[in-house]
Amino acid sequence: MQTAEQQTTLEQQPMEVSPYLYTSYSIARDLAKNAIWYEQEGICNWQGAGVEVIGGRYQVATRTFGTDLYSGLAGIALFLAEVSVRVPDPVIHETLGGAVKNILKQTKAKPSPSLFGVHSGRLGTGYALLKIGGLMKNEDWKKAGLEMIKKLNKEKIGDHEIDIISGAAGAIPVLLKIHEQEKDSTLLDLAKKCADFLLSKADRGETSWSWQTIPDNQGLTGYSHGTAGIAAAFLELYAKTENAEYWNAAMMAFQYEREHFVPQQNNWPDLRKGINAAPNTKQQHVCGEMWCHGAPGIALSRLRAYQLTGRSDFLQEAQLALDTTYRSVTNSLMNPSNANFSLCHGLAGNADILMTGGMILNNPSYIQTAQQVGIVGSELYEKTGTDWPSGVNDPTGMTQGMEPTPGLMLGSSGTGFFYLRLAFPNEIENILMIN
């Protein structure tokens, strides 16, 4: 799809900008080069590593992508749009258009069965289209995204659609954000619908509440699948509505994590079956150190709770979680070539969380550490032309994983977002904490 003249323009694009923006632009440029075009339709897609069910078991395979925000076209296109408005480039712009056309084609031909997931479902795809349309001043894309979201008001929330990644908890802050922009009461009603669904699904103990986000598993701690993300969502809606039920649900969810806190590790345990039951585990509790499980993601929930309430207990918990995240990042910097650079469970995501904490709590050391991660990553990968290591892990354990993939939460688009955040910390939202 690219002409020789366009490729030369892409390679010789003048960049009198910060090194962080240059790295982000370089990632966008590589995505544009690697796009697979269906020329008759004017659409494009990508190939990359993903975990698929093959022969009855999960394995890493090369695949093309659907429309979702987490690993699909919506996340890639959103990254390309953020780059495009800052570094005009005809090939990146053309690739963005091809990706959006493919999103619109796929959503019309075969809509995702996942509805309310901001990362996995139609809500997230609609949000990305709305955001991209705003960035690129394309009213058709904005309209398509908003219509996709508003249609959800007629849909029933699936029993499994609970957590931040795939369900109602992730939907609430996104719907509130769009409601603030569009002033459409339908969106606030939809956020309340999600919250009331979560209230109906709560496992209500005497002192705390949790939610079963994984079948046959107790309620989890953590942001993406656990009570941290759910509590933060309730708190966002309470701030908008002052409904005491939402406040109570948030406090009971936060309490569930307090009851499981492991002070020896300044962290919260990963309560998924099989994680803490490993017979050779030396520690009594295995705690994650990622956005999805453990202190880094929990730090985001407490930072937001502190912003919304000003309460000292949330500040204290945020500081504990950030200290653990800081330790994890500095340990990774000792041997960074062993780390992946994904947002979901990689060095880029943890560094981005540190930067967020540094900005909210006015802690320069956190920000400087995040910047150091950016410098190291550029030296290892951008300047050497080496593929960025992804967060795609081989569930069989047969390979190291980290095969290249283009998506937002596991791949190079998310890595590029991290560098955009370093370049424009006050302009680019933390995609790990949409509110």
Side-chain angles (χ1 to χ4, degrees):
M1 196 73 177
Q2 300 168 17
T3 67
E5 181 181 357
Q6 286 174 324
Q7 290 175 354
T8 301
T9 301
L10 186 65
E11 296 291 349
Q12 296 177 351
Q13 177 75 36
M15 293 296 296
E16 296 178 2
V17 294
S18 80
Y20 304 126
L21 179 55
Y22 184 84
T23 296
S24 186
Y25 171 76
S26 177
I27 291 171
R29 181 179 63 188
D30 287 341
L31 284 166
K33 283 183 177 181
N34 293 324
I36 302 168
W37 282 91
Y38 305 83
E39 295 192 18
Q40 289 185 341
E41 299 179 78
I43 64 176
C44 66
N45 206 324
W46 284 263
Q47 284 188 333
V51 177
E52 304 289 334
V53 178
I54 302 173
R57 62 192 181 99
Y58 286 101
Q59 299 183 58
V60 174
T62 300
R63 53 171 291 199
T64 54
F65 297 93
T67 63
D68 63 278
L69 189 70
Y70 188 90
S71 61
L73 292 169
I76 300 169
L78 183 56
F79 167 62
L80 293 177
E82 292 283 10
V83 173
S84 191
V85 296
R86 290 167 176 83
V87 186
D89 183 292
V91 179
I92 293 176
H93 187 271
E94 180 186 34
T95 307
L96 167 62
V100 172
K101 288 178 183 178
N102 197 355
I103 292 170
L104 295 173
K105 178 179 183 294
Q106 288 195 40
T107 53
K108 183 178 180 180
K110 190 178 180 181
S112 169
S114 177
L115 299 174
F116 290 83
V118 64
H119 288 277
S120 64
R122 294 184 210 174
L123 176 67
T125 302
Y127 168 75
L129 285 172
L130 182 63
K131 177 82 171 177
I132 293 165
L135 289 168
M136 306 309 297
K137 296 180 170 52
N138 187 310
E139 291 300 319
D140 289 339
W141 294 352
K142 286 180 63 177
K143 182 180 178 182
L146 190 57
E147 286 181 353
M148 192 179 300
I149 294 166
K150 291 175 70 172
K151 283 181 180 178
L152 293 174
N153 205 36
K154 299 178 181 179
E155 300 284 353
K156 181 179 183 295
I157 304 174
D159 285 341
H160 65 286
E161 294 186 297
I162 295 173
D163 60 22
I164 287 288
I165 283 188
S166 61
I172 289 170
V174 173
L175 289 167
L176 292 177
K177 182 182 180 69
I178 302 170
H179 171 261
E180 186 66 25
Q181 296 169 352
E182 302 295 327
K183 309 302 182 187
D184 187 328
S185 61
T186 303
L187 301 168
L188 180 57
D189 291 342
L190 192 51
K192 293 177 183 176
K193 174 180 175 178
C194 290
D196 294 341
F197 166 79
L198 289 174
L199 288 173
S200 74
K201 290 293 181 181
D203 293 329
R204 305 188 182 203
E206 291 185 8
T207 59
S208 63
W209 294 3
S210 65
W211 284 259
Q212 190 181 62
T213 59
I214 296 178
D216 302 319
N217 206 106
Q218 73 179 99
L220 303 181
T221 68
Y223 193 79
S224 68
H225 301 293
T227 60
I230 297 170
F234 273 120
L235 206 53
E236 291 282 356
L237 192 53
Y238 170 76
K240 182 69 177 179
T241 65
E242 296 187 350
N243 184 322
E245 273 194 291
Y246 302 152
W247 171 270
N248 182 59
M251 296 306 108
M252 294 297 273
F254 283 129
Q255 182 60 26
Y256 183 79
E257 289 192 329
R258 288 174 182 146
E259 292 173 356
H260 286 87
F261 181 66
V262 183
Q264 299 88 341
Q265 299 182 55
N266 269 359
N267 208 338
W268 293 259
D270 187 339
L271 297 174
R272 289 175 293 173
K273 278 186 178 179
I275 299 294
N276 277 293
N280 296 324
T281 300
K282 294 180 180 179
Q283 297 173 329
Q284 184 180 0
H285 299 283
V286 175
C287 300
E289 294 183 346
M290 303 166 286
W291 169 78
C292 44
H293 297 282
I298 288 172
L300 291 180
S301 73
R302 301 319 196 261
L303 286 167
R304 186 59 181 155
Y306 174 61
Q307 285 182 308
L308 291 170
T309 68
R311 285 176 42 158
S312 60
D313 54 344
F314 290 130
L315 174 60
Q316 181 182 16
E317 289 175 337
Q319 190 64 68
L320 287 171
L322 286 168
D323 287 346
T324 299
T325 306
Y326 176 78
R327 182 192 67 211
S328 176
V329 171
T330 53
N331 286 342
S332 294
L333 282 173
M334 296 174 65
N335 196 358
S337 60
N338 287 338
N340 80 74
F341 265 76
S342 76
L343 291 181
C344 182
H345 45 256
L347 191 49
N350 281 1
D352 201 334
I353 290 167
L354 268 189
M355 183 167 66
T356 299
M359 293 171 66
I360 293 173
L361 302 183
N362 193 25
N363 187 322
S365 67
Y366 289 162
I367 298 172
Q368 291 163 6
T369 302
Q371 292 169 337
Q372 182 62 28
V373 170
I375 292 168
V376 168
S378 294
E379 293 289 335
L380 283 174
Y381 302 107
E382 188 268 316
K383 292 183 179 179
T384 63
T386 305
D387 289 330
W388 290 88
S390 79
V392 176
N393 296 321
D394 183 354
T396 69
M398 298 295 291
T399 65
Q400 184 181 8
M402 302 196 294
E403 294 295 322
T405 202
L408 180 66
M409 294 300 290
L410 298 180
S412 58
S413 292
T415 306
F417 245 108
F418 165 61
Y419 279 94
L420 277 179
R421 287 261 298 150
L422 289 173
F424 304 101
N426 295 312
E427 293 181 24
I428 304 291
E429 68 181 351
N430 186 340
I431 202 72
L432 298 174
M433 183 185 174
I434 302 173
N435 54 51

